[in-house]
Amino acid sequence: EDPVELANRKPDPYRHILVALDFTPHSSHALALARALELVRLHDSKLSLIHAVENSFYPDLGYDPLMIDPGEFAELDQQIHDQAVLRMEQLAKSLDYADVQHDVLWGTPKSAVLSYAEAQKVDLIVVGSHGRHGIAKLLGSTAVAIVHSARCDVFVVRLAE
Ligand code: AMP
């Protein structure tokens, strides 16, 4: 086909945009969210807000009487998850956009975002350039992993150092 004709053809609008929110204390996720909101309005698409919570890693030190019981880690993780669910609900409600769904998933941000994106037929993923895992880097490990493995378009919002 003629590349000029192809380039001039209007691409399909994005129908489902996912934004991966890490809820860092300095609220840098707001920038990625602002961009995602702009894009969903432009394309009239569905918006998904996703946050991933990882299980704490703890070595098997059950024999050490000074160590915390592993069950307490699980409880802490559950509290963190519950907090994130509340935060997500408030955030989704506060947005001036109706077609929003949100989810807090267990797992690494990479696997949570990628599997959600495939299952929910997301056609654009919006991530921040770096967060907790990549403060000192140009591109965080989550952003790199998602760009690498996503089967759809990825929009990386450059966050300030
Ligand atoms: P990082 O890899 O931690 O530097 O984060 C880069 C970007 O990945 C962030 O700006 C978020 O868009 C996304 N991300 C990181 N951690 C999470 C998380 N726990 N849940 C959802 N998205 C995340």
Side-chain angles (χ1 to χ4, degrees):
E1 262 186 285
D2 178 14
V4 174
E5 202 179 296
L6 267 180
N8 280 313
R9 199 178 296 160
K10 200 176 183 301
D12 289 337
Y14 292 119
R15 281 187 285 186
H16 189 178
I17 299 179
L18 177 165
V19 57
L21 304 173
D22 61 3
F23 292 145
T24 50
H26 46 282
S27 293
S28 57
H29 63 266
L31 286 171
L33 181 54
R35 185 60 71 192
L37 273 171
E38 179 196 47
L39 292 169
V40 290
R41 290 195 178 105
L42 198 65
H43 292 264
D44 197 21
S45 37
K46 185 194 289 183
L47 175 65
S48 280
L49 315 175
I50 296 303
H51 177 70
V53 178
E54 283 179 75
N55 275 118
S56 306
F57 171 78
Y58 49 87
D60 185 13
L61 295 173
Y63 57 86
D64 184 342
L66 295 178
M67 275 301 293
I68 311 177
D69 172 3
E72 289 181 33
F73 281 100
E75 228 168 84
L76 265 172
D77 289 345
Q78 189 59 52
Q79 281 175 22
I80 291 168
H81 188 280
D82 293 349
Q83 284 295 318
V85 169
L86 282 179
R87 191 160 177 190
M88 200 54 121
E89 278 165 4
Q90 285 170 355
L91 182 63
K93 248 186 266 166
S94 70
L95 295 180
D96 188 18
Y97 197 75
D99 196 0
V100 181
Q101 56 187 41
H102 53 84
D103 216 338
V104 178
L105 302 158
W106 288 104
T108 63
K110 174 200 162 168
S111 62
V113 166
L114 289 174
S115 57
Y116 184 96
E118 298 221 357
Q120 299 287 319
K121 298 197 167 61
V122 165
D123 43 22
L124 178 66
I125 298 171
V126 178
V127 281
S129 54
H130 53 266
R132 249 187 220 106
H133 299 105
I135 302 284
K137 295 183 197 153
L138 292 175
L139 212 51
S141 56
T142 304
V144 168
I146 289 171
V147 169
H148 230 260
S149 306
R151 312 260 283 271
C152 64
D153 290 357
V154 181
F155 192 118
V156 181
V157 176
R158 174 69 61 197
L159 303 175
E161 308 289 302

